Amino acid sequence: MRVSMIGAGYVGLVSGACFADFGHHVTCIDKNDGRIAALNKGEIPIYEPGLADLVEANVRGGRLEFAAEVASVAKADAVFIAVGTPSRRGDGYADLSFVYEAVGEIAPFLAVGAVIVTKSTVPVGTGDEIERILRERRPDVDLQVVSNPEFLREGAAIQDFKHPDRIVVGTNDARARTVLAEIYRPLYLNAAPILYVSRRTAELIKYASNAFLATKITFINEIADLCEQVGADVQDVARGMGLDNRIGGKFLHPGPGFGGSCFPKDTTALLKTAQDHGIALRIVEAVSAVNDQRKRAMARKVVAALDGSLRGKTIAVLGLAFKPNTDDTRDSPAIPLITALQDLGARVRAYDPAAMEQAKPALSAVNYCGSAYAAADGADALVIATEWEQFRALDLARLKSVMAQPVIVDLRNIYRADEMQRAGFRYGAIGRAGVD
Ligand code: UDX
């Protein structure tokens, strides 16, 4: 199959490289000439483990290429739209301007019978609008618009693409289904379930899935708060719950609140869709509000660990990315946490293995350091905000020797109280006993 991917960003590049790896011929198209020039030189503009090798192998194999012009969509059996749908400034609706712009640009070139597939996360009914635009611009051809949402986690995107729990294809058109089935055939052979539904249903499956996962996280975060008050251990509560197959153990890790490019914006956009249709999604409303407050509130844990005041204190923050294995700091809990620490009078030293440059525009007066130990140097407390692998086995004796006070606040529960006690630290965690 010949596939065009509009948008060589995160979703477009990962999907394009994986489709090429399945054996299809893929052209990733992006208006950003600089990005295309860099890709043509083998430079990958995003941080995603395994992506550089996958791109390189498929470019070398002649199955993957990059272009700044959309004209090549004329040869495509399927044109995927994988452009960004950020939160619209001011009102929280998904900003669909990049999607409609892309549709307008490809319209004149599309071949008879081409299938247009939306991979971008778009609110229910966007496919109808895309179809309307295309009918208006190209009354001469029969074009099918399909919704095929992605469920890729940053840092594990290639694995998620190649071993999906399900593939969702939203269209009622038999021929479009056949084209999508052919594109995903290698996964179908791996027994990945392919779910054919209506277009609107597919669009909603994406939002409902993300909102549900965000709910699970927020639920366990609130239970963690209760655990702290009643002397229970949230890790054991989550395990005890998760072993029930009806519940499942995934996405029950308590922490400083969910962040990233999807959950925060998708929950807000879902609420907007619901409001427009006169429906109150009260659970999702609560999830969004509780999560927003939680990030900044994490600073109170640091205050408590330092006997009530941060004025004049130095705090080391490990991790700025919203989760490990990414350089993405969008809606990262570390950002409001650091601002709150500064508002309370603390100086902040920070280290992240990949995300320091990305964090800089959102923060000021932070001292960026070259390692966890450099950040800890002279600090009154060390806060673990992101569970990067390299933070899981820190040399505690070394940390203690460089810090002004032996205090660790572990917002990801990656350490145990007994090992901290042995190492002579005061230790605070989420939803379980620490060391005073
Ligand atoms: C998510 C979805 O998982 C993916 O299917 C969707 O298409 C895009 O959004 P992503 O944002 O990359 O992916 O990361 P994910 O691993 O889902 O984590 C999101 C946030 O929730 C992170 O801030 C993470 O730290 C937090 N989280 C996740 C928890 O706090 N606890 C958990 O148990 C799981």
Side-chain angles (χ1 to χ4, degrees):
M1 286 265 152
R2 295 189 78 90
V3 171
S4 285
M5 188 65 64
I6 309 294
Y10 191 80
V11 172
L13 262 186
V14 170
S15 309
C18 288
F19 281 146
D21 213 45
F22 293 171
H24 302 304
H25 188 279
V26 181
T27 309
C28 285
I29 301 170
D30 201 296
K31 295 179 127 166
N32 181 337
D33 314 7
R35 171 165 287 209
I36 294 299
L39 283 164
N40 278 327
K41 279 192 272 170
E43 291 162 18
I44 307 297
I46 55 170
Y47 181 98
E48 179 64 32
L51 185 60
D53 290 346
L54 195 70
V55 167
E56 203 221 300
N58 284 285
V59 168
R60 230 182 321 110
R63 293 180 300 272
L64 179 62
E65 59 188 14
F66 304 102
E69 303 297 329
V70 295
S72 62
V73 301
K75 289 185 258 146
D77 301 298
V79 181
F80 285 77
I81 298 176
V83 297
T85 53
S87 224
R88 199 159 68 187
R89 215 172 269 278
D91 66 7
Y93 280 85
D95 180 350
L96 298 174
S97 55
F98 301 113
V99 172
Y100 294 139
E101 216 174 282
V103 171
E105 282 165 17
I106 62 174
F109 300 101
L110 292 168
V112 175
V115 177
I116 293 83
V117 193
T118 315
K119 257 217 177 296
S120 304
T121 300
V122 294
V124 180
T126 306
D128 300 1
E129 178 61 11
I130 295 175
E131 188 172 284
R132 193 194 61 72
I133 297 171
L134 289 174
R135 288 241 164 91
E136 201 176 276
R137 305 266 173 107
R138 295 295 301 276
D140 55 316
V141 290
D142 168 35
L143 297 166
Q144 289 302 326
V145 178
V146 178
S147 165
N148 170 226
E150 52 82 17
F151 301 98
L152 308 177
R153 285 166 306 162
E154 289 185 25
I158 293 168
Q159 163 74 13
D160 285 352
F161 197 96
K162 292 193 167 181
H163 301 276
D165 289 340
R166 78 303 206 186
I167 300 154
V168 174
V169 172
T171 175
N172 292 326
D173 182 75
R175 201 183 56 78
R177 286 184 177 187
T178 312
V179 171
L180 269 289
E182 182 58 24
I183 290 173
Y184 281 107
R185 199 164 50 88
L187 294 183
Y188 201 51
L189 296 175
N190 289 348
I194 186 158
L195 189 69
Y196 295 107
V197 294
S198 77
R199 192 166 58 205
R200 284 180 167 244
T201 303
E203 289 167 339
L204 193 53
I205 286 173
K206 169 67 195 240
Y207 280 99
S209 301
N210 275 358
F212 189 79
L213 292 171
T215 303
K216 251 185 130 175
I217 298 167
T218 306
F219 182 87
I220 202 67
N221 282 342
E222 288 200 316
I223 294 294
D225 294 345
L226 181 59
C227 284
E228 287 172 22
Q229 294 309 312
V230 300
D233 183 321
V234 72
Q235 297 295 134
D236 291 339
V237 172
R239 191 165 146 71
M241 288 170 64
L243 285 171
D244 184 327
N245 283 332
R246 293 168 303 176
I247 298 173
K250 292 183 179 163
F251 280 70
L252 281 182
H253 303 291
F258 59 78
S261 62
C262 291
F263 287 171
K265 93 171 162 62
D266 291 351
T267 44
T268 311
L270 178 62
L271 289 172
K272 295 295 169 186
T273 301
Q275 276 165 20
D276 285 351
H277 290 83
I279 298 295
L281 296 182
R282 295 214 180 82
I283 293 172
V284 185
E285 275 170 23
V287 164
S288 184
V290 168
N291 192 64
D292 279 349
Q293 287 158 21
R294 183 172 187 82
K295 297 176 183 177
R296 198 176 153 88
M298 289 294 110
R300 286 208 289 273
K301 283 192 166 293
V302 188
V303 174
L306 286 176
D307 302 325
S309 171
L310 294 187
R311 195 135 309 275
K313 303 268 171 54
T314 299
I315 311 296
V317 175
L318 299 190
L320 299 170
F322 78 97
K323 65 173 199 176
N325 298 323
T326 176
D327 62 357
D328 199 338
T329 58
R330 280 176 285 178
D331 279 307
S332 172
I335 308 290
L337 164 67
I338 288 176
T339 313
L341 294 173
Q342 291 173 325
D343 290 347
L344 291 165
R347 283 185 298 272
V348 174
R349 301 167 64 77
Y351 169 68
D352 187 286
M356 293 203 282
E357 283 310 311
Q358 276 70 7
K360 282 179 184 169
L363 292 169
S364 62
V366 169
N367 191 342
Y368 295 96
C369 304
S371 73
Y373 303 100
D377 197 4
D380 295 286
L382 178 126
V383 181
I384 299 169
T386 315
E387 70 279 32
W388 281 93
E389 213 56 59
Q390 60 174 265
F391 300 155
R392 289 177 184 269
L394 293 168
D395 179 341
L396 298 179
R398 184 172 165 198
L399 269 188
K400 191 161 177 250
S401 70
V402 298
M403 290 179 70
Q405 297 190 57
V407 177
I408 291 186
V409 179
D410 178 2
L411 301 180
R412 299 289 184 168
N413 287 358
I414 58 180
Y415 284 95
R416 289 166 34 156
D418 55 353
E419 62 184 323
M420 284 293 166
Q421 185 153 35
R422 275 199 304 276
F425 277 92
R426 272 154 66 197
Y427 174 70
I430 300 270
R432 52 182 195 161
V435 180
D436 287 327

